[in-house]
Amino acid sequence: MSESRDPVEWYRRMRRLRRFEMRAAELVGDGEINGPVHEYIGEEAVAVGVCAALRADDVITSTHRGHGHILAKGGAPDRMFAELLGRESGYNRGRGGSMHIADFDLGIYGANGIVGAGAPMACGAAFTFKVRGEDRVAVPFFGDGAMNQGVLLESFNLAVILHLPVIFACENNGYAITSSIREMLGGDLARRAEGFGLPAQSVDGMDVCAVHAASAAAVERARAGGGPAFLEFRTARYSVHNIATGGRMRDNRSEETLAQARERDPIERLAGEITRGAGWEPGGRDAVDDEIEREIEGAVGFARNSPRPRAETALDYMYADTYPDFPAPGWEH
Ligand SMILES: Cc1ncc(C[n+]2csc(CCOP(=O)(O)OP(=O)(O)O)c2C)c(N)n1
Ligand SMILES: [Mg+2]
């Protein structure tokens, strides 16, 4: 998906993320989706605001909570639902499920079940851009929980010393599974990143305009050779960690705290700003909502009508059966 500075388009993209997740939750409830599903509802402004600052040829790495990032970078809802429903037409031919969706052509270098693991991959991509003299950037998304992973801190260091075009996008929703950041994380996230030499900023992650502005500035800098940056987006997930396990993964937030988070809803906020500002396209908000509804229902229908892999092919595509020559031709020892 390409760069956008149009608030109505941001609304459309956020609404797509929200409805995708709501529909996925229903399918989990109905038993049509098996395996873990980490819902992104409440955090839509982060994925949409960041990705609207990226070109189609920039790359992202994602997390276990990846649906939002993938959709915001242009992932197709029909192939995503097909993957969640375990169908042959899914992104991983139905063998990967929610946490392994990737599309290299769209610059989506994968959701990832290993917390923090996308960061070094993004550094690798950014190193390639730098060596080739390309003005592309790489954005690893990760959560507050990943800030305690060694590999993430090593990636900060690597990005700084190699001056890589990486924008570290930290989604601080205050929780890692059921553990509050207050009990688990020493110091301040942005100050921690600054300690590595990264320019760092803390941003209201419920405000897509603020997310986009901070991201666009960091991307522009990185493209021009200005090096990496760290952005903390303060956000909130409305649901439990993994909706497939239901109440067993409930954190200790009170109903009141959750209600307060919902009052800051990023989609309602943007909708209000559009109404008060430049206004809606012909047909208004309802027309966009209807368009998304048709898209999401069409995607669910596509997935349901797609064949499941045959049992005897379950292990196909799990392992590479050919390897590139190594050392690669031209490699100097
Ligand atoms: C290396 C590693 N350690 C632990 C886990 C188990 N785990 C899965 S999600 C998660 C919490 C991640 O929290 P955060 O990074 O804040 O992301 P959020 O779920 O809040 O989006 C943990 C500890 C894992 N998947 N990988
Ligand atoms: Mg978190």
Side-chain angles (χ1 to χ4, degrees):
M1 203 159 278
S2 53
E3 275 173 297
S4 172
R5 294 183 176 272
D6 173 11
V8 174
E9 177 59 20
W10 295 346
Y11 174 86
R12 179 179 288 108
R13 293 181 186 183
M14 290 207 283
R15 179 82 187 173
R16 179 179 293 119
L17 270 55
R18 174 75 50 100
R19 289 299 299 144
F20 183 95
E21 294 295 62
M22 290 173 73
R23 225 34 209 99
E26 286 166 10
L27 296 169
V28 168
D30 295 345
E32 284 191 63
I33 294 177
N34 296 301
V37 172
H38 304 89
E39 186 185 287
Y40 195 66
I41 291 181
E43 307 191 20
E44 293 92 344
V46 181
V48 169
V50 171
C51 290
L54 298 180
R55 289 195 317 233
D57 64 344
D58 294 324
V59 307
I60 63 165
T61 60
S62 177
T63 67
H64 56 287
R65 198 176 301 288
H67 306 164
H69 311 138
I70 291 155
L71 287 167
K73 191 69 172 68
D78 51 2
R79 293 191 63 202
M80 288 177 65
F81 272 123
E83 188 56 38
L84 297 183
L85 268 67
R87 307 303 164 116
E88 196 70 57
S89 56
Y91 270 106
N92 304 85
R93 298 174 192 259
R95 288 153 175 88
S98 165
M99 288 191 285
H100 298 92
I101 295 174
D103 188 331
F104 298 158
D105 292 338
L106 294 173
I108 301 165
Y109 284 14
N112 204 315
I114 305 171
V115 169
M121 290 164 59
C123 287
F127 185 63
T128 306
F129 302 154
K130 190 177 160 138
V131 167
R132 289 184 182 161
E134 298 171 349
D135 69 346
R136 300 159 71 190
V137 304
V139 177
F141 287 98
F142 53 91
D144 47 288
M147 287 291 289
N148 283 339
Q149 282 292 111
V151 71
L152 196 88
L153 306 176
E154 291 171 41
S155 301
F156 287 173
N157 185 55
L158 199 66
V160 170
I161 58 167
L162 296 179
H163 206 63
L164 300 177
V166 178
I167 291 96
F168 292 97
C170 179
E171 301 180 310
N172 179 7
N173 60 16
Y175 281 84
I177 306 187
T178 54
S179 301
S180 162
I181 189 172
R182 282 191 286 275
E183 296 152 16
M184 305 303 290
L185 209 131
D188 174 271
L189 298 188
R191 300 292 86 75
R192 191 186 277 197
E194 273 175 359
F196 283 86
L198 287 164
Q201 194 183 340
S202 179
V203 180
D204 180 355
M206 307 299 266
D207 176 359
V208 68
C209 303
V211 172
H212 178 266
S215 305
V219 166
E220 197 182 327
R221 224 179 114 259
R223 264 198 224 299
F230 174 93
L231 297 173
E232 174 199 1
F233 299 109
R234 302 184 310 277
T235 182
R237 74 164 145 78
Y238 293 173
S239 189
V240 294
H241 171 69
N242 168 6
I243 58 172
T245 55
R248 278 190 287 130
M249 283 198 173
R250 194 160 292 289
D251 51 70
N252 62 4
R253 284 177 297 173
S254 65
E255 284 306 319
E256 194 189 344
T257 306
L258 280 167
Q260 280 167 3
R262 289 195 179 96
E263 269 168 32
R264 296 166 55 224
D265 187 75
I267 299 181
E268 291 307 317
R269 178 173 178 162
L270 177 64
E273 280 168 21
I274 294 171
T275 304
R276 287 188 298 278
W280 292 88
E281 292 167 341
R285 183 177 176 180
D286 287 347
V288 182
D289 291 355
D290 289 348
E291 175 196 324
I292 295 298
E293 222 45 46
R294 283 193 299 278
E295 182 185 354
I296 295 296
E297 273 324 301
V300 172
F302 168 85
R304 281 179 170 153
N305 289 329
S306 297
R308 297 175 195 277
R310 285 177 296 112
E312 59 271 28
T313 68
L315 295 182
D316 287 2
Y317 319 112
M318 294 292 143
Y319 305 99
D321 46 20
T322 56
Y323 293 91
D325 287 341
F326 190 81
W331 178 268
E332 300 299 333
H333 287 277

